[in-house]
Amino acid sequence: MMKYVKVGAFIHAIHSYNRFCHFESKPHLGFGSLDSQVRASVGIFWDLDNKPPKSFPPYDAATKLKKAASEFGVVRFTVAYANRQAFSYVPPLVREQRKERKALTLLEKSGVVKVVEPYICRVCGRRFYSNEKLVNHFKQIHEREHKKRLSKIESARGKMRVKLVAKYAMKMDKYKGAVRDVLIPKAGYVLADELKRAGFWVRTVENKPQAADIALRNHLVDVMDKRMVDHVVLVSDDSDFVEVLKEARLRCLKTVVVGDSNDGALKRIADAAFSWQEIMMGKAKKEAVSVVGRWKDRDVLKRLEWTYDPEVEKKLYYSEVESDDSDGFFSGEEDVGASVLKENAGAWWKLDSHSG
């Protein structure tokens, strides 16, 4: 009998544990995983329409964001969505830098200002004592060479295309690294290229209202459905993502919001929240360690909770008792109990009088 009760209680405990989450992010982990050292998977979802890196260089902002997110676990997804207008936008800081560069170039050309250290071409290493000569050199030689390489790759097919990509890979990377400091892009400030260089998967959507929000939200839900992440880092202040954050919490995913709105709706729902200033200063990276520690303590306590359901326990107990009675385990005990009740059916004072 005791063996059956223990087995039934153990099965009920397993069912209670499985009901705790909407789904288990790692279904292969059981009770032995409470002390497991497996690191969580983290996904970064960036709403560039709502939160572009206006005050910071895009590459630096993206790398600092990844470093802060890596304290929560292994960063496996880094995606950013925006429409075409977001990539053509130029922040005031970048515009000011371009104006200063243009004014300095004019002073160098007129001979008013002379540079002490020469400008060095990062592709071929040649030196120039004016920025205008460096730009002309870069356009006439290296930009033309780059366009020729791209045309060869586009016209090739099959194995030949693979060979050309491998052949020109180092030269093309070197060109991309140098062109950022020499040539001013025709549109924007190479936001997409800088984010890609930092390891982000950048997606451009149509210039329609809420197009980027819908695409990012669908991508996030798809990742949650496939159980690919344990923690979600959302870079946005847009309240349209409130419902998807609630859905993530129902599925037992931890949520982190990065934005500038201190009392925003997203930060009130998320498990943790940081500002861009905290990300860039490294404060978020330090605080993430203590946040993860609190999450682990809370998860252990929740997993060790014993949830008591009277109806389930009653059904479980009586089903076990009935099965035992059918085998005759308690027939003798019930007869003894009935005879004792019959003998002691009298009132208590009559019992005392007989005993006297």
Side-chain angles (χ1 to χ4, degrees):
M1 171 63 185
M2 293 300 295
K3 184 184 294 184
Y4 296 144
V5 172
K6 290 180 179 179
V7 171
F10 179 73
I11 293 173
H12 174 60
I14 292 177
H15 288 314
S16 300
Y17 176 73
N18 289 333
R19 286 199 310 269
F20 184 75
C21 291
H22 185 67
F23 66 74
E24 294 297 326
S25 59
K26 287 183 174 57
H28 61 280
L29 300 179
F31 287 103
S33 66
L34 296 179
D35 298 326
S36 176
Q37 299 298 321
V38 178
R39 296 196 69 196
S41 299
V42 181
I44 302 176
F45 300 86
W46 195 340
D47 180 13
L48 283 173
D49 279 357
N50 178 264
K51 198 55 58 185
K54 295 181 179 179
S55 305
F56 312 102
Y59 179 78
D60 295 342
T63 52
K64 290 288 182 67
L65 179 62
K66 288 180 66 176
K67 286 181 181 179
S70 65
E71 294 297 326
F72 296 103
V74 181
V75 179
R76 301 193 183 277
F77 294 92
T78 51
V79 297
Y81 279 83
N83 56 31
R84 300 185 187 278
Q85 292 180 355
F87 295 115
S88 61
Y89 171 79
V90 180
L93 179 63
V94 177
R95 282 196 293 246
E96 192 66 28
Q97 290 175 351
R98 289 179 180 178
K99 287 182 180 179
E100 293 177 357
R101 179 68 264 175
K102 186 177 181 180
L104 182 59
T105 301
L106 292 174
L107 293 175
E108 290 175 354
K109 186 177 180 180
S110 60
V112 176
V113 175
K114 291 185 179 180
V115 293
V116 178
E117 295 183 359
Y119 297 98
I120 300 175
C121 177
R122 292 173 56 186
V123 177
C124 63
R126 289 186 61 181
R127 299 185 177 188
F128 302 90
Y129 283 89
S130 80
N131 185 65
E132 185 180 21
K133 291 182 178 180
L134 172 63
V135 172
N136 292 334
H137 160 78
F138 202 89
K139 286 182 177 180
Q140 293 173 3
I141 297 177
H142 301 304
E143 190 176 30
R144 287 182 179 179
E145 290 178 349
H146 183 69
K147 289 180 178 179
K148 288 180 180 179
R149 286 192 289 264
L150 289 177
S151 63
K152 285 183 179 180
I153 293 173
E154 290 176 0
S155 60
R157 294 290 183 273
K159 293 183 180 180
M160 180 57 66
R161 185 166 188 169
V162 175
K163 289 181 180 179
L164 289 175
V165 170
K167 179 181 178 181
Y168 297 136
M170 292 184 65
K171 292 182 178 180
M172 293 175 69
D173 289 341
K174 198 172 184 180
Y175 173 84
K176 289 179 181 179
V179 72
R180 287 189 296 268
D181 300 329
V182 179
L183 302 182
I184 297 176
K186 295 180 180 179
Y189 64 119
V190 294
L191 173 61
D193 292 339
E194 291 292 274
L195 295 183
K196 289 177 182 178
R197 186 163 70 98
F200 273 78
W201 187 64
V202 182
R203 296 292 294 171
T204 306
V205 298
E206 298 180 0
N207 288 330
K208 293 182 179 180
Q210 305 297 322
D213 294 351
I214 294 172
L216 183 60
R217 187 163 55 245
N218 291 341
H219 193 159
L220 178 53
V221 171
D222 181 63
V223 169
M224 289 193 298
D225 288 340
K226 294 178 181 178
R227 309 185 186 186
M228 294 181 177
V229 295
D230 303 300
H231 303 335
V232 173
V233 178
L234 177 63
V235 184
S236 181
D237 280 329
D238 194 343
S239 59
D240 291 341
F241 290 98
V242 167
E243 294 301 324
V244 75
L245 284 187
K246 289 181 179 179
E247 180 65 22
R249 294 191 66 178
L250 284 175
R251 302 185 186 212
C252 297
L253 272 67
K254 299 296 186 298
T255 55
V256 181
V257 169
V258 177
D260 296 324
S261 180
N262 294 327
D263 57 347
L266 296 181
K267 289 188 175 182
R268 290 196 296 269
I269 295 174
D271 296 300
F274 302 102
S275 65
W276 263 120
Q277 196 69 29
E278 291 173 332
I279 294 289
M280 298 304 295
M281 292 175 61
K283 185 179 179 181
K285 187 175 184 293
K286 294 179 181 178
E287 291 184 359
V289 179
S290 60
V291 171
V292 172
R294 291 196 299 269
W295 287 352
K296 287 182 179 179
D297 294 341
R298 188 174 63 185
D299 288 346
V300 170
L301 290 175
K302 284 184 177 180
R303 290 177 181 179
L304 293 178
E305 282 180 354
W306 179 58
T307 56
Y308 176 71
D309 189 345
E311 295 298 326
V312 175
E313 293 291 338
K314 185 177 179 180
K315 291 179 182 178
L316 179 64
Y317 175 74
Y318 280 111
S319 62
E320 290 171 354
V321 171
E322 289 175 359
S323 62
D324 291 338
D325 289 347
S326 62
D327 295 336
F329 280 92
F330 292 99
S331 58
E333 293 181 5
E334 287 180 355
D335 294 341
V336 173
S339 62
V340 170
L341 289 174
K342 289 179 181 178
E343 290 178 0
N344 296 334
W348 60 272
W349 61 83
K350 291 182 179 180
L351 291 177
D352 289 341
S353 61
H354 286 299
S355 61

